[in-house]
Amino acid sequence: MNGHMFLLFLLLLFPSTVFALIINFSGGIITKLISEDATDETQLTLMTLSGVTAGQTPTCDLNPSQTEFWVKLDPSTAKYGVYLKAMPNLDFNTKSTYSLVVECTDGVSTTQETFTVNIDKNKSPTISNLHNYTTLETSTTSTGTLVFTAIATDPENDQLTFTMDCYVLSIIATCPYEIFDSGEIVTTSGFLGYSVGSYDLRITVADSHNNQIGPRSLTVTVTGLNTAPVIDNNIQSYVPVVLENSALGSSVYQVTITDPDVGDVHTYSATFTPSTASNYFSIDSSTGLVSTSTTTNIDYDTMSFSSCTAEVTVSDGSASDTKTLTINIANVFEAPSFAKTIYTLSGPEAAAGTSFGTPKYDVTDPDGDSVTYGVDCPTFNINPTTGEVTLSINYDRDDTSVASSVTCGVTVTDGTMTSTAVLEVLIYTINDNSPQFTQNSYEFHISPYDTIGTILGTVTATDADIGSHGVVSYNVRSGSFSGNFGIDTSGNLYLKTAVNDTIAGTTVSVLLRAYDEDGKRDHVNVDFVIQATTTTSITTTTDRNLTFFESSANVAWFSALMIILLGLGIFLAIEAYRSHIFFKICSSCNECKLPKRRKFDLHNDLDDSDEYEDRTPSPNPITPVSSTSADLGWSAWNNTDKTQNFSL
């Protein structure tokens, strides 16, 4: 205060004097604590400025500016204040302290002060009544029954969210409960048919800042559980057949159940379809035994159905189970009958119309009626009078999709009544196909340097027969070089004996045979094109076509040609040289006087200092003479000094 009075005194005494600005925060407080949950614009402090230059209007702002805070005039006090902006999205974990630099200026003087804002972290909610337990009674529990209310509070009164997982015997499970954000836990169904007596509900609560607490457990014990009885599934797979004229009250089917609740009393009932079936069948309500009527006889000829169903229900008074029982009614006649239930025939695969014979049916008819036969599968025909069985289609066992046996129903009827037996026909394969090569011919390129055992190529023959009939074997039948080649059981051709490289560039042929176990066969020609390789090493050389000089035949005739051409060249050179010497001697003769004998070295030409053989110089210059003036003779080569003697 004394400082302010002194400044005022100086201003009055020296009105034109400039003083430094001073920022004073309200109450001298330079720190503020605010919650990270703050959402509204809030005034954090007001500022009083002193030392303002006379006649100047000060302004204040944050330097640097802040996204969450600002400085502005308070309209009620005309003072600048520091404010928290609306919806600042403060997050303690991101930034817990802000140092706000407030800068004020009056146009003459500028000053700064720091105002610190600390962020108060949002507090987690709390649950006050968990861990806990509760009990439900089955008889008083239904969908929507309130099980428990979890009580949670939040220091900042944030919106709370509840989540819950259900465990049965420490294993997460689907349970008949749900929880609301009010903390209320309710059932989603009644407990009829439930067998689980205890549930562990694990509850978690979180606020809007995802501060959460939990899980906290609530154990729910269910009492008075009843397990529904269950009808055994056999009732749906077993179909009882009731014969016409069966005795009244005959047992048809005994319903069996399972129920873990010992002591429960069970009641059975059945609903029949068609409804008139209830005239012929009934169920014992206490034992579950289905029987024929005790009063109405089953007369197949007068009944409107030959099959019916019964929806059988068992109840323990609280829970029940229902399954369907099907009952067939069989007509009983004085019908012809087979001596056996199963007959067997066998034969080979064959064309349509082939007979498989006649089984020994031994059919009897108590009424002595004439009978006719029938068969119910399309593969065979049956003679209606004799019962002979023949193929109705071409049956090829070589087709792998065709079965090796066919089971048919064979019938015998007297025109009114029919009996049925089983006919099993076994069809075996025969060797009715020859092997066939997949190509009309083969060609393989090989090297004369291939080693014995080298695979040269592969041929393939197929046999449409199956089993051992379809196994194909191979051999090399003929050909000039058949001994050089072999073939294995897979059709791989290999080098059996090395070939001579003198046949490089030629083609040799062999004849192959493919045959099966019965000698059925096919033949094919195989051409081997003999090529040379760049090297005899089969491990480092890649087979390729020969270049011109890699062929020994080409080298032979080319060498001979070169020798001939060389000889011809030498001959022509000698003739040319002789002509040259002759011309020069003639042009150098003087009055046709020539040395009696001259020796010329083939490596040197004649010059103007010609000498006689005895080394005396020529007395006169040599002048040309006609070729008729002298007879020029040539001697043979001297093999010792490689010179040629000429005689004139």
Side-chain angles (χ1 to χ4, degrees):
M1 181 61 72
N2 292 335
H4 290 168
M5 293 299 294
F6 178 72
L7 288 173
L8 181 60
F9 173 75
L10 291 176
L11 286 173
L12 292 174
L13 185 63
F14 305 103
S16 60
T17 303
V18 178
F19 297 94
L21 281 174
I22 297 175
I23 300 173
N24 297 292
F25 295 112
S26 296
I29 298 173
I30 60 173
T31 301
K32 186 75 173 182
L33 179 67
I34 60 175
S35 173
E36 66 177 344
D37 295 329
T39 57
D40 298 331
E41 183 177 85
T42 305
Q43 185 185 89
L44 304 180
T45 185
L46 286 176
M47 298 178 292
T48 301
L49 300 177
S50 58
V52 178
T53 303
Q56 300 297 320
T57 300
T59 59
C60 297
D61 205 346
L62 294 179
N63 185 15
S65 61
Q66 299 286 333
T67 303
E68 299 84 358
F69 304 91
W70 60 353
V71 171
K72 67 175 184 176
L73 281 172
D74 177 20
S76 62
T77 62
K79 294 181 179 181
Y80 280 98
V82 178
Y83 289 81
L84 173 70
K85 292 181 180 180
M87 306 303 294
N89 294 322
L90 300 175
D91 185 353
F92 177 86
N93 294 325
T94 302
K95 191 171 184 179
S96 60
T97 300
Y98 292 84
S99 295
L100 307 179
V101 178
V102 179
E103 182 177 276
C104 295
T105 181
D106 60 4
V108 177
S109 177
T110 300
T111 188
Q112 292 181 340
E113 290 291 344
T114 299
F115 187 80
T116 301
V117 178
N118 294 319
I119 307 303
D120 189 19
K121 181 174 175 59
N122 182 273
K123 304 298 189 298
S124 299
T126 59
I127 302 176
S128 60
N129 59 343
L130 293 177
H131 305 285
N132 214 327
Y133 65 91
T134 188
T135 301
L136 291 178
E137 171 57 42
T138 302
S139 61
T140 60
T141 301
S142 60
T143 301
T145 298
L146 179 63
V147 178
F148 188 83
T149 300
I151 299 174
T153 58
D154 187 82
E156 294 84 13
N157 294 320
D158 289 340
Q159 176 66 42
L160 300 180
T161 301
F162 288 84
T163 56
M164 179 178 70
D165 291 320
C166 181
Y167 287 78
V168 175
L169 299 177
S170 299
I171 299 174
I172 194 166
T174 301
C175 302
Y177 306 98
E178 65 178 340
I179 189 168
F180 298 99
D181 286 342
S182 62
E184 292 182 332
I185 301 171
V186 299
T187 58
T188 57
S189 69
F191 287 90
L192 185 62
Y194 277 76
S195 59
V196 178
S198 180
Y199 301 87
D200 181 16
L201 307 183
R202 300 181 185 181
I203 300 159
T204 301
V205 61
D207 62 14
S208 57
H209 288 265
N210 202 32
N211 294 317
Q212 64 181 27
I213 186 170
R216 298 285 189 268
S217 65
L218 174 67
T219 300
V220 180
T221 301
V222 182
T223 61
L225 286 173
N226 175 66
T227 303
V230 178
I231 300 174
D232 292 345
N233 288 330
N234 187 52
I235 192 174
Q236 295 176 315
S237 59
Y238 176 75
V239 180
V241 178
V242 179
L243 300 178
E244 179 189 24
N245 299 319
S246 293
L248 298 177
S250 298
S251 297
V252 176
Y253 185 82
Q254 176 62 60
V255 178
T256 58
I257 66 168
T258 56
D259 190 344
D261 298 325
V262 179
D264 282 359
V265 178
H266 303 101
T267 302
Y268 300 87
S269 61
T271 301
F272 291 91
T273 302
S275 60
T276 54
S278 61
N279 296 327
Y280 302 94
F281 302 97
S282 62
I283 188 170
D284 189 304
S285 61
S286 59
T287 64
L289 178 64
V290 179
S291 305
T292 62
S293 171
T294 58
T295 57
T296 304
N297 183 51
I298 296 177
D299 185 358
Y300 187 91
D301 296 328
T302 61
M303 295 172 63
S304 61
F305 59 90
S306 60
S307 180
C308 65
T309 60
E311 295 292 324
V312 178
T313 299
V314 60
S315 173
D316 62 3
S318 298
S320 63
D321 187 28
T322 300
K323 286 186 173 64
T324 301
L325 171 68
T326 299
I327 303 172
N328 288 339
I329 298 95
N331 189 14
V332 178
F333 299 99
E334 292 293 324
S337 61
F338 290 101
K340 297 189 295 184
T341 58
I342 299 177
Y343 295 90
T344 303
L345 291 174
S346 64
E349 58 183 330
T354 301
S355 175
F356 273 61
T358 304
K360 188 175 177 58
Y361 295 116
D362 289 334
V363 171
T364 59
D365 190 317
D367 301 325
D369 296 333
S370 61
V371 297
T372 57
Y373 296 94
V375 67
D376 65 0
C377 55
T379 306
F380 296 98
N381 294 324
I382 192 168
N383 187 300
T385 302
T386 65
E388 180 186 16
V389 178
T390 58
L391 280 169
S392 63
I393 60 173
N394 295 329
Y395 207 94
D396 186 4
R397 278 291 312 283
D398 299 327
D399 183 350
T400 57
S401 65
V402 175
S404 61
S405 65
V406 179
T407 301
C408 306
V410 60
T411 60
V412 61
T413 179
D414 59 5
T416 302
M417 296 171 286
T418 301
S419 293
T420 303
V422 174
L423 175 63
E424 291 184 348
V425 183
L426 306 177
I427 304 158
Y428 52 84
T429 63
I430 59 175
N431 192 349
D432 57 348
N433 293 285
S434 298
Q436 296 290 325
F437 282 101
T438 58
Q439 294 181 204
N440 294 328
S441 63
Y442 293 84
E443 179 178 292
F444 301 104
H445 291 245
I446 67 174
S447 168
Y449 302 117
D450 285 336
T451 58
I452 294 174
T454 299
I455 300 298
L456 308 176
T458 302
V459 299
T460 302
T462 59
D463 192 323
D465 292 313
I466 62 174
S468 62
H469 298 319
V471 176
V472 178
S473 300
Y474 302 88
N475 63 14
V476 180
R477 291 293 297 162
S478 61
S480 300
F481 291 83
S482 60
N484 292 82
F485 306 101
I487 187 168
D488 63 20
T489 57
S490 299
N492 296 314
L493 286 160
Y494 60 90
L495 193 62
K496 189 175 178 182
T497 303
V499 298
N500 195 316
D501 64 353
T502 60
I503 63 171
T506 65
T507 298
V508 298
S509 299
V510 298
L511 181 68
L512 300 184
R513 181 179 71 172
Y515 58 95
D516 63 18
E517 63 179 4
D518 291 333
K520 295 180 182 294
R521 71 199 68 180
D522 189 23
H523 296 86
V524 71
N525 282 317
V526 177
D527 293 331
F528 292 96
V529 179
I530 312 299
Q531 296 180 330
T533 60
T534 58
T535 175
T536 60
S537 173
I538 64 168
T539 59
T540 60
T541 301
T542 301
D543 288 350
R544 60 175 177 81
N545 292 330
L546 291 173
T547 63
F548 182 86
F549 288 104
E550 289 173 341
S551 170
S552 57
N554 290 343
V555 171
W557 70 259
F558 184 82
S559 299
L561 177 61
M562 290 298 101
I563 292 172
I564 293 171
L565 292 177
L566 179 61
L568 180 59
I570 293 172
F571 174 78
L572 293 176
I574 292 173
E575 288 300 311
Y577 191 80
R578 290 174 60 189
S579 299
H580 170 73
I581 296 300
F582 179 81
F583 175 78
K584 190 167 185 179
I585 292 174
C586 290
S587 62
S588 302
C589 289
N590 181 19
E591 296 179 350
C592 296
K593 183 180 179 180
L594 296 173
K596 291 182 179 180
R597 183 178 178 86
R598 297 294 304 273
K599 180 185 291 185
F600 298 96
D601 192 310
L602 287 176
H603 300 288
N604 298 295
D605 199 355
L606 294 174
D607 55 22
D608 291 338
S609 59
D610 294 333
E611 296 178 349
Y612 292 102
E613 191 169 324
D614 58 1
R615 296 187 178 274
T616 59
S618 175
N620 297 308
I622 298 175
T623 57
V625 295
S626 66
S627 60
T628 59
S629 358
D631 181 20
L632 182 63
W634 302 89
S635 65
W637 288 97
N638 186 319
N639 291 330
T640 303
D641 58 6
K642 294 183 178 61
T643 60
Q644 190 173 26
N645 297 321
F646 298 89
S647 298
L648 185 63

